[in-house]
């Protein structure tokens, strides 16, 4: 693991010294989640109460050393959130994810029941398999990489560009030799695609490490989430997820 991090760190330094790759800016992604596909057979009747897709926008702020991935809320979504009479209201990706690849540092800020939690752990290098296919996303020629996640039974297809700095991407998909501009999980179950890449100096406060929140482990957080979701299902009330 130490050798991987050392290689990663020096690779970033080389890229910075040559100026060959963009080192600072923001990437705007559209995140589209198929909610119906996530339902079990026993809960298929819930399809009538919920939209098929949940669509949101995320911003990835980055510089040479770090990145911050966080949810964006536009005026239309704010207005929709204030309406009544909706059987299901789902908000996903409301937290922040702060990464420092050279230090294998990963800090996740999440909000649950009005309280903030900080989850810190290490970055992992995913077993990507590289393909020969290419396509253009947001004006950048991207290469394909795939991997299968056994624990979740997920096939992930990523498209990354070497014109932006390496080890950059949405969520924890930040272990490729370029910036990930598109992800497809299980053939459309969840699709994350860059709408805009803005290479520019960052403004003050755009990329800040999250520090406020109760520190918990991933296991502890998931246990709290599962317990609350089960209570809400049994109660038959509206379900709101802000994770």
């Amino acid at each position: 693991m130490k050798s991987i991090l050392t290689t990663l760190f020096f690779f970033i330094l080389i890229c910075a010294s040559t100026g060959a790759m963009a080192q600072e800016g923001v990437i705007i992604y559209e995140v589209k989640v198929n909610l119906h596909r996530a339902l079990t057979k026993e809960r298929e009747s819930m399809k009538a109460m919920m939209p098929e897709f949940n669509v949101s926008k995320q911003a990835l702020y980055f510089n040479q050393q770090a990145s911050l991935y966080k949810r964006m809320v536009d005026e239309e979504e704010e207005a929709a959130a204030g309406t009544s009479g909706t059987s299901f209201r789902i908000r996903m990706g409301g937290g922040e994810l702060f990464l420092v690849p050279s230090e294998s540092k990963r800090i996740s800020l999440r909000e649950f029941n009005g309280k903030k939690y900080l989850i810190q752990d290490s970055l992992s290098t995913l077993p990507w398999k590289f393909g020969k296919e290419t396509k253009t996303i947001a004006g950048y020629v991207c290469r394909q990489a795939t991997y299968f996640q056994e624990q979740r039974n997920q096939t992930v297809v990523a498209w990354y560009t070497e014109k932006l700095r390496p080890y950059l991407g949405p969520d924890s998909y930040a272990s490729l030799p370029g910036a990930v501009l598109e992800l497809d999980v299980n053939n459309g179950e969840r699709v994350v695609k860059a709408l805009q890449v803005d290479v520019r100096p960052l403004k003050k406060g755009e990329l800040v490490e999250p520090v406020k929140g109760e520190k918990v482990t991933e296991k502890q957080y998931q246990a709290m989430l599962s317990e609350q979701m089960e209570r809400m299902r049994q109660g038959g009330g509206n379900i709101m997820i802000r994770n």
Side-chain angles (χ1 to χ4, degrees):
M1 184 65 182
K2 185 176 179 180
S3 61
I4 295 175
L5 294 178
T6 302
T7 303
L8 186 154
F9 178 68
F10 280 109
F11 188 73
I12 292 177
L13 288 180
I14 292 172
C15 293
S17 63
T18 60
M21 299 182 184
Q23 298 295 322
E24 194 167 348
V26 58
I27 304 173
I28 306 300
Y29 296 91
E30 178 187 76
V31 182
K32 189 174 183 179
V33 180
N34 191 316
L35 302 176
H36 288 187
R37 285 182 59 179
L39 295 174
T40 61
K41 290 184 179 180
E42 294 77 11
R43 298 186 179 277
E44 284 189 351
S45 60
M46 297 174 68
K47 289 182 178 180
M49 298 186 295
M50 61 193 297
E52 183 176 0
F53 295 99
N54 182 77
V55 181
S56 62
K57 290 183 180 179
Q58 301 268 4
L60 179 64
Y61 300 95
F62 66 94
N63 59 22
Q64 181 179 332
Q65 294 82 21
S67 66
L68 179 68
Y69 187 61
K70 61 189 295 186
R71 186 171 176 272
M72 302 174 67
V73 180
D74 55 29
E75 293 181 359
E76 182 179 346
E77 188 176 358
E78 287 280 18
T83 60
S84 58
T86 304
S87 300
F88 248 78
R89 191 168 68 179
I90 299 178
R91 292 185 182 183
M92 303 181 71
E96 300 179 2
L97 183 62
F98 179 80
L99 304 179
V100 184
S102 63
E103 301 176 8
S104 188
K105 185 176 184 179
R106 181 185 187 276
I107 299 177
S108 179
L109 170 64
R110 303 178 196 175
E111 187 176 336
F112 177 66
N113 276 351
K115 187 174 180 179
K116 293 182 177 180
Y117 295 90
L118 286 175
I119 304 168
Q120 182 169 346
D121 52 27
S122 299
L123 283 172
S124 58
T125 302
L126 303 177
W128 294 104
K129 294 182 179 180
F130 296 88
K132 297 181 179 179
E133 296 85 351
T134 63
K135 70 174 179 178
T136 301
I137 303 170
Y140 290 83
V141 176
C142 297
R143 298 179 180 276
Q144 187 191 75
T146 62
Y147 94 99
F148 179 71
Q149 189 177 48
E150 293 185 7
Q151 186 176 2
R152 297 183 179 181
N153 193 30
Q154 291 180 339
T155 298
V156 181
V157 179
W159 296 88
Y160 69 96
T161 176
E162 297 175 337
K163 294 298 182 180
L164 298 172
R165 81 152 170 85
Y167 310 106
L168 182 67
D171 295 328
S172 294
Y173 299 100
S175 58
L176 283 164
V180 175
L181 297 187
E182 183 176 325
L183 288 166
D184 188 331
V185 180
N186 281 351
N187 193 27
E189 186 175 292
R190 180 169 177 263
V191 177
V192 183
K193 186 174 182 179
L195 302 177
Q196 176 185 340
V197 179
D198 189 5
V199 177
R200 59 166 174 80
L202 292 177
K203 300 175 183 177
K204 185 177 180 180
E206 285 187 322
L207 204 174
V208 179
E209 178 179 342
V211 294
K212 294 183 179 179
E214 180 181 340
K215 294 182 179 179
V216 296
T217 65
E218 180 70 32
K219 186 176 181 179
Q220 289 172 328
Y221 182 82
Q222 292 300 327
M224 287 190 297
L225 186 62
S226 297
E227 182 180 355
Q228 183 64 16
M229 287 294 294
E230 186 58 32
R231 289 178 180 174
M232 295 171 78
R233 290 191 184 99
Q234 293 178 359
N238 292 354
I239 294 180
M240 175 180 285
I241 302 174
R242 193 173 183 184
N243 185 21

